Every structure is written in C-alpha cells, then in structure tokens.
Amino acid sequence: MTIDLLLFLTLALVAVATALGMVTSKNTVYSALFLVLNFATVAVFYILLGAPFIAMSQITVYAGAIMVLFLFVIMLLGTERLNSANILPWQRPLAIILAVILTVEAGYLLIFKSNPTAMVNAPDASINTIGSLQSLGMALFTDYLLPFEATSILLLVAMVGAIILSKQDKNEKGGAK
Amino acid sequence: MVKVDYYIILSAILFITGALGVLVRRNPLIIFMSVELMLNAANLAFVAFANMHNNLDGQIFVFFVMTVAAAEVAVGLALIVQIFKAKHSINVDDINSLKG
C-alpha cells in the first residue's frame, strides 16, 4: 500500500463519516460544522488531483462564505433543534429503498462501465507555478467567456432576489420587526 | 498510485448520502446542506476526470457549479427566513400552501 493510497483512504473515510454525520445529526449547527469539515477534506482531494486553485476557491466560497451564511440563518431563526414530527410515516423507508436502488445503479455502472486502468496523475512541481493558473485563466476568458458573463448576471439576479425577499414591506401595518 | 475509479466511487458515495439526506430530513436547512453535498460530489467527479484526461475544462465547470451553488444558497436562505417569519415553522411538511 503506497503512501498516497493510504492518504486517500484516510481522507475518504473522513469525508464519508462527516457526510453521514451531517445527514444524521439532530442539531443543525453540528450538521453545518460537519459539512465544513467535509468541504475541507474535499479541498484536500482537489489538491491531490492537481487543482490547487479550485481547492482554494472551495475553502473560500464554500467553507467560508456559504457555510457562514448557513450558520447565520440557523442562529437567526433559532432552529438548532427541530422536533421531527413525522407526518408521512412511509417516507423514511421509501427514501432508504430509493437510496439503495441508486447505490445499486451506481455500483453497476462503476463495475461494468469503468476504465480500470486509469490512474490519477500525481501533481508535479509545475502545478503550483503561475503557468497552471495562467492556463486556467486563459480558458476561462477565451473559450468560456460567454458562460462566465452569464454567471455574473446570475449572481446579480441572485443578489437582487435576496435583497427583495428580505426587504421589509413599508406598507405592511405594524411591520414585522 | 490511486486509481481514478476510487475518486469516482467516493463521489458516488457522497452523492448518495446527499440524496438520502434530501429525502429523509424534514428541516429545509439540512436539505439545503445535502444539496450542497451533492453538488460537491459532482465537483469531485469533474476534477477527477479533468485530471484523468489532462484537460482543464472539468475545472472550469467546477467554477460554474460553485457560482450556481452560491446564488442558490443566497436566494434559498432568504426564502427560508421569509417562510419562518410567516409560519413560525420551517418543517417542510408544514409548508403546504402557497398563501402565507
């Protein structure tokens, strides 16, 4: 067993354990913190796969911005614990059956349709040089310029939407504080 | 050496965990986090394939997925806050009418 396989297995264990902890945790704050840890391990996978800039974006955008937003909303609403009155009793078994079916499908595809000889290219010294980032920027601003501009409009629309949704209605009598 | 398959299997496991979370949990915040987990699993598969093919296009797609995720979270959490103000509950089973 080589060192990078050992590293992969350890991190994979952490990633799966934190994902399961996020889904099963009763307290929403714990779920959010499990998810932060999961994002951090996935960022390490990105570094192992030779994508350091993606890894840094993952940390800043996901673990930084998005999860802080989640934690703010959890604490703003005071819904750390939500009593789960299960209105639909058949929901949980059905969900587990569907998840098992999805697992079988994924397993089938991975066993019969995969390319078993493909190995991960280990990141060499050039991955941290400016050239790697330069080629990423070149691709982003030439071949993918139109999607890039479209995402800027998407972000603008999302920002306006969030402001409109959280704006206090002035005409509403009493005004919800 | 690590096989690309291992990353794809890990990505599938994370995706299935996220899907299970969406189906089982009734707290919309957890459902949102599970959706983020599924997006992350897809990102991991993208980066693994980008590495396998020595091509940057997969990494570019991860950027776009991250942008969409950020936009989705900003609007979704604003909606959750408004629903909580109107109904004083965020259990998704209680949210069954369009009028507040």
Side-chain angles (χ1 to χ4, degrees):
Chain A
M1 184 177 282
T2 54
I3 187 82
D4 51 353
L5 188 59
L6 198 67
L7 185 62
F8 172 84
L9 288 177
T10 316
L11 283 170
L13 196 67
V14 173
V16 173
T18 48
L20 286 173
M22 190 276 287
V23 170
T24 54
S25 173
K26 288 277 174 232
N27 191 324
T28 319
V29 177
Y30 292 165
S31 288
L33 294 177
F34 273 129
L35 196 57
V36 170
L37 190 52
N38 189 13
F39 286 162
T41 49
V42 173
V44 180
F45 283 130
Y46 291 159
I47 293 174
L48 290 177
L49 288 167
F53 190 64
I54 300 275
M56 292 305 117
S57 321
Q58 165 94 358
I59 295 285
T60 49
V61 175
Y62 271 116
I66 290 181
M67 292 322 292
V68 167
L69 201 60
F70 264 109
L71 284 172
F72 264 124
V73 169
I74 290 166
M75 291 171 182
L76 191 71
L77 299 186
T79 53
E80 287 88 355
R81 287 168 188 283
L82 196 71
N83 48 345
S84 54
N86 225 343
I87 295 177
L88 305 172
W90 41 266
Q91 188 175 26
R92 187 167 299 230
L94 188 65
I96 290 168
I97 290 168
L98 287 173
V100 168
I101 291 172
L102 187 60
T103 314
V104 170
E105 276 178 348
Y108 171 77
L109 286 176
L110 285 168
I111 288 165
F112 292 104
K113 307 282 180 188
S114 73
N115 179 9
T117 54
M119 290 289 185
V120 167
N121 301 312
D124 53 5
S126 71
I127 204 70
N128 280 321
T129 58
I130 202 77
S132 154
L133 193 53
Q134 208 169 27
S135 51
L136 197 65
M138 277 301 280
L140 196 58
F141 285 102
T142 53
D143 294 344
Y144 291 93
L145 186 62
L146 185 66
F148 183 78
E149 296 296 338
T151 51
S152 69
I153 296 192
L154 175 77
L155 281 176
L156 179 69
V157 170
M159 191 176 76
V160 171
I163 291 171
I164 294 287
L165 278 172
S166 52
K167 194 172 63 114
Q168 297 287 341
D169 196 354
K170 289 252 169 56
N171 300 324
E172 200 175 85
K173 60 173 183 186
K177 274 266 168 160
Chain B
M1 287 295 284
V2 183
K3 285 182 184 173
V4 173
D5 275 12
Y6 295 169
Y7 280 99
I8 306 305
I9 290 167
L10 176 68
S11 157
I13 291 171
L14 290 180
F15 188 89
I16 290 165
T17 314
L20 192 65
V22 169
L23 291 173
V24 169
R25 296 304 299 264
R26 298 295 83 202
N27 185 335
L29 289 165
I30 307 260
I31 291 176
F32 256 112
M33 287 185 219
S34 303
V35 171
E36 297 298 318
L37 188 66
M38 289 160 78
L39 288 170
N40 234 303
N43 282 351
L44 186 62
F46 266 128
V47 176
F49 282 129
N51 179 295
M52 183 172 116
H53 292 289
N54 257 327
N55 196 333
L56 277 176
D57 293 356
Q59 297 192 19
I60 304 268
F61 264 85
V62 173
F63 276 112
F64 295 136
V65 172
M66 276 184 187
T67 327
V68 172
E72 172 228 332
V73 165
V75 176
L77 288 178
L79 277 171
I80 288 178
V81 171
Q82 285 305 106
I83 288 169
F84 185 77
K85 275 185 189 165
K87 287 196 173 273
H88 297 287
S89 160
I90 54 165
N91 192 326
V92 286
D93 286 336
D94 294 342
I95 304 163
N96 48 17
S97 65
L98 283 176
K99 278 187 80 174

